[in-house]
């Protein structure tokens, strides 16, 4: 069974000049262990799709199943719990809290799982080790380079052992060498613990390294052959 | 609360404290506002409490059963109360057990080289007992002295005279309003009577009959009286007033009891306290708006943080708790500071007034209560606003 199953999802935004359809009948399945790039021009709806997949927003029509769990009629608090347990977010702007050390930034998602401080820190140290930043645990974000910050953010996404890692333009703020490192890290994580990863990008170099590329145009997902579904 | 809950609470508080430190000067400003407001209210409470306690002490020292009779003229013609009729008041069964006519005025005294301006009191010997005035040297004036030119000096008068020259001794001559009297006794510290307006410490006392000799107008100015045991103060006052009206051809007598005076004083204190608490509350509200302002600004600056926390699994109530904790910490710290400052201010006021300081029992719970109220009331709006932020929009905020 697919890890993520999106069935004929529509998303409309009500604006002052009538509603705008951002997603039209989107169908998409992502299987366990896949590493996918989600591509498309700006305005093609990939960020909107990402927000829906990340359970930060709800579709107007259609269904999204994550790990076999339907998410349509789930209360707000339960959505937060689902995000906490099953999804790891990586953002273009890192979104690290400046006052916390790298270790505490990584441990933050476990706070909302109700774990004790010692356990949180132990798990966070493991996650930092996985991204190769064990020696930077006590540094604050402003003492780290861009690539290192994004690694901390990836460690934060990994710390809760999610089934799906969502990365929104993870290399957008990085130079090409740091971007290469981050991509290499994603590939390694996909291979070793077998994390399913979905990367939103419009960098062809990033997309080229992903085994599966999903292309969006005008609110629709092209099939893997690059053709609009009928 | 479970151990996990306690640990969680400790963490939330610690995190809030860290966030406040990050706010820096602005948090300090809001803190000052709350502290000043609380300090004002607390100081007022302490001062009011101590002023009242002091007033009660003065009354209680001489008893709350004192009654004062004051003749009042219709025009400027103050009636001349007959002294014998006044002394006979207890025998009339009006509800008084004691009545001492007093002629009081002021006089300039010369003792040796010292020249003093004091109260001059002509009264029966019973007044000493009435005001519980102790004797430190010589003897008191006695009813047997008649109009003899004798004088007894109050404690502070004797001290002031000694400070200007040599200590006063029994038998020394004293010039009072150009009459030469002889000092026959010196009093120790005596209680002031707020009801009678008599302070023996700053007075020279002469025999009642001697008033005609020394004072320009020897009419009775007060009668110091005491309620009979079990007598009702209002009814007695009315009876005495009626009795005196029959006795006098013109004018009347004002009868005031200690009870009435205490009631009046308490009413006045309550008005003052209300007024000042109003002022304190106003400054507290200003400080509270400061807290809300700081929290709203903090909210604007931390929208991305809120978005992130929501994305990684924080419930709305976690965000509410985060912001509410900070507001409560801010107001709690401010109130704590203010309660301390207010208590110090109250203590200093009591010291400056020469009163023993007694902390007002209401001050502490009120201080804590205000902190909680301010924090909850003015922190809830920003906290709920933060919790209602859309995580997607918050994450994209600049």
């Amino acid at each position: 069974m697919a890890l993520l199953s999106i069935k004929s999802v529509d998303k409309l935004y009500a604006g002052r000049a009538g509603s705008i359809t951002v997603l039209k009948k989107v169908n998409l399945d992502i299987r366990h262990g896949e590493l996918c790039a989600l591509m498309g021009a700006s305005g093609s709806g990939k960020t909107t799709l990402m927000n829906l997949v990340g359970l930060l927003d709800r579709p107007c029509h259609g269904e999204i199943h994550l790990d076999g769990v339907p998410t349509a009629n789930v209360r707000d608090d339960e959505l937060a719990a689902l995000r906490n347990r099953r999804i790891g977010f990586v953002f273009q702007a890192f979104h690290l809290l400046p006052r916390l050390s790298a270790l505490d930034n990584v441990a933050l998602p476990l706070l909302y799982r109700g774990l004790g401080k010692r356990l949180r820190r132990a798990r966070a140290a493991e996650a930092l080790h996985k991204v190769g930043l064990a020696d930077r645990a006590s540094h604050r974000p402003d003492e780290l380079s861009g690539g290192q910050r994004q690694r901390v953010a990836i460690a934060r996404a990994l710390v809760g052992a999610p089934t799906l890692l969502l990365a929104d333009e993870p290399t957008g703020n990085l130079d090409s060498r740091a971007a290469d490192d981050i991509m290499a890290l994603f590939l390694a994580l996909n291979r070793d613990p077998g994390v399913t990863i979905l990367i939103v990008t419009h960098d062809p170099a990033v997309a080229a390294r992903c085994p599966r590329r999903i292309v969006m145009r005008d609110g629709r997902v092209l099939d893997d052959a690059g053709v609009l579904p009928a | 609360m479970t151990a996990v809950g306690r640990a969680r609470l400790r963490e939330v508080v610690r995190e809030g404290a860290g966030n406040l430190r990050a706010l820096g000067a602005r948090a300090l400003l809001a803190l000052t506002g709350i502290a000043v407001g609380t300090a004002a209210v607390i100081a007022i409470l302490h001062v009011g409490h101590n002023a009242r306690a002091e007033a009660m002490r003065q009354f209680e020292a001489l008893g709350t059963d004192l009654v004062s009779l004051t003749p009042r003229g219709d025009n400027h013609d103050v009636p001349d109360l007959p002294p014998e009729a006044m002394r006979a008041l207890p025998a009339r069964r009006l509800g008084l057990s004691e009545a001492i006519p007093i002629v009081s005025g002021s006089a300039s005294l010369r003792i040796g080289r010292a020249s003093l301006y004091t109260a001059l009191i002509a009264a029966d010997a019973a007044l000493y007992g009435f005001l519980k005035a102790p004797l430190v040297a010589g003897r008191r004036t006695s009813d047997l002295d008649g109009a003899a030119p004798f004088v007894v000096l109050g404690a502070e008068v004797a001290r002031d005279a000694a400070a200007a020259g040599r200590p006063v001794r029994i038998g020394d001559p004293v010039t009072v309003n150009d009459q030469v009297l002889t000092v026959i006794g010196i009093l120790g510290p005596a209680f002031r009577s707020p009801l009678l307006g008599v302070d023996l410490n700053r007075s020279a006392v002469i025999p009642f009959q001697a008033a005609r000799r020394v004072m320009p107008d020897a009419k009775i100015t007060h009668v110091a009286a005491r309620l009979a045991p079990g007598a009702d103060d209002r009814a007695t006052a009315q009876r005495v007033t009626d009795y005196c009206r029959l006795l006098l051809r013109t004018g009347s007598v004002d009868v005031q009891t200690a009870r009435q005076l205490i009631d009046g004083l308490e009413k006045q204190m309550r008005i003052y306290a209300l007024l000042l608490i109003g002022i304190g509350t106003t400054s507290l509200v200003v400080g509270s708006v400061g807290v809300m302002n700081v929290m709203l600004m903090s909210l604007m600056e931390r929208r991305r943080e809120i978005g992130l926390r929501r994305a990684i699994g924080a419930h709305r109530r976690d965000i509410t708790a985060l912001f509410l904790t900070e507001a409560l910490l801010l107001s709690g710290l401010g109130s704590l500071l203010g309660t301390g400052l207010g208590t110090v201010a109250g203590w200093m006021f009591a010291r400056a007034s020469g009163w023993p300081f007694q902390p007002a029992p209401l001050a502490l719970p009120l201080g804590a209560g205000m902190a909680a109220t301010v924090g909850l009331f003015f922190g809830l709006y920003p906290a709920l606003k933060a919790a209602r932020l859309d995580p997607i929009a918050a994450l994209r905020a600049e």
Side-chain angles (χ1 to χ4, degrees), chain B residues 3 13 18 40 70 89 104 109 148 183 203 213 228 270 278 291 326 336 367 369 388:
Chain B
V13 169
T70 315
L89 276 176
S104 88
L109 258 66
V183 175
S203 303
R213 182 176 206 145
R270 261 200 297 278
V291 167
E326 289 180 31
L336 197 72
R388 272 200 297 267

Side-chain angles (χ1 to χ4, degrees), chain A residues 76 83-84 99 112 120, chain B residues 11 19 309-310 312 316:
Chain A
D76 234 39
R83 284 198 297 270
N84 182 267
R99 280 175 299 94
Y112 297 113
R120 292 205 310 263
Chain B
E11 266 183 59
N19 291 338
R309 284 179 187 266
R310 295 274 284 129
I312 62 176
R316 286 184 198 276

Side-chain angles (χ1 to χ4, degrees), chain B residues 109 111 118-125 127-128 133-142 145 148-158 168-172 174 176 181-188 190 199-207 210:
Chain B
L109 258 66
I111 312 170
T118 68
L120 185 62
I121 291 170
D124 294 347
L127 186 69
Y128 298 109
L135 191 72
V136 292
R139 68 169 180 88
R140 301 182 174 100
T141 55
S142 141
D145 287 332
F150 294 152
V151 64
V152 171
L153 299 181
E156 284 179 33
V157 176
V168 183
R169 280 189 306 231
I170 305 304
D172 280 355
V174 178
V176 180
L181 308 180
T182 306
V183 175
I184 59 165
I186 294 170
L187 298 176
D199 183 4
L200 282 188
N201 294 323
R202 323 203 98 268
S203 303
V205 186
I206 55 175

Side-chain angles (χ1 to χ4, degrees), chain B residues 49-215:
Chain B
H49 180 76
N50 281 281
R52 193 175 168 284
E54 176 63 18
M56 288 310 287
R57 249 197 307 281
Q58 284 189 357
F59 278 109
E60 274 159 11
L62 297 175
T64 51
D65 54 353
L66 298 197
V67 182
S68 156
L69 280 61
T70 315
R72 284 268 178 270
D74 292 333
N75 299 320
H76 287 292
D77 186 22
V78 177
D80 196 358
L81 295 176
E84 280 316 314
M86 292 299 112
R87 288 191 186 103
L89 276 176
R92 299 285 169 202
R93 301 180 172 278
L94 299 169
L96 298 179
S97 66
E98 203 177 353
I100 307 161
I102 298 171
V103 184
S104 88
S106 54
S108 54
L109 258 66
R110 272 208 322 278
I111 312 170
R113 266 173 295 171
S115 186
L116 305 169
Y117 193 74
T118 68
L120 185 62
I121 291 170
D124 294 347
L127 186 69
Y128 298 109
F130 194 89
L131 292 177
K132 298 184 181 166
L135 191 72
V136 292
R139 68 169 180 88
R140 301 182 174 100
T141 55
S142 141
D143 295 347
L144 299 175
D145 287 332
F150 294 152
V151 64
V152 171
L153 299 181
E156 284 179 33
V157 176
R159 200 191 59 204
D160 290 351
R166 58 182 184 80
V168 183
R169 280 189 306 231
I170 305 304
D172 280 355
V174 178
T175 312
V176 180
N177 291 352
D178 301 327
Q179 298 277 328
V180 179
L181 308 180
T182 306
V183 175
I184 59 165
I186 294 170
L187 298 176
F191 292 108
R192 206 183 79 83
S193 167
L195 181 67
L196 298 172
V198 169
D199 183 4
L200 282 188
N201 294 323
R202 323 203 98 268
S203 303
V205 186
I206 55 175
F208 184 78
Q209 306 265 12
R212 290 216 309 258
R213 182 176 206 145
V214 182
M215 299 164 92

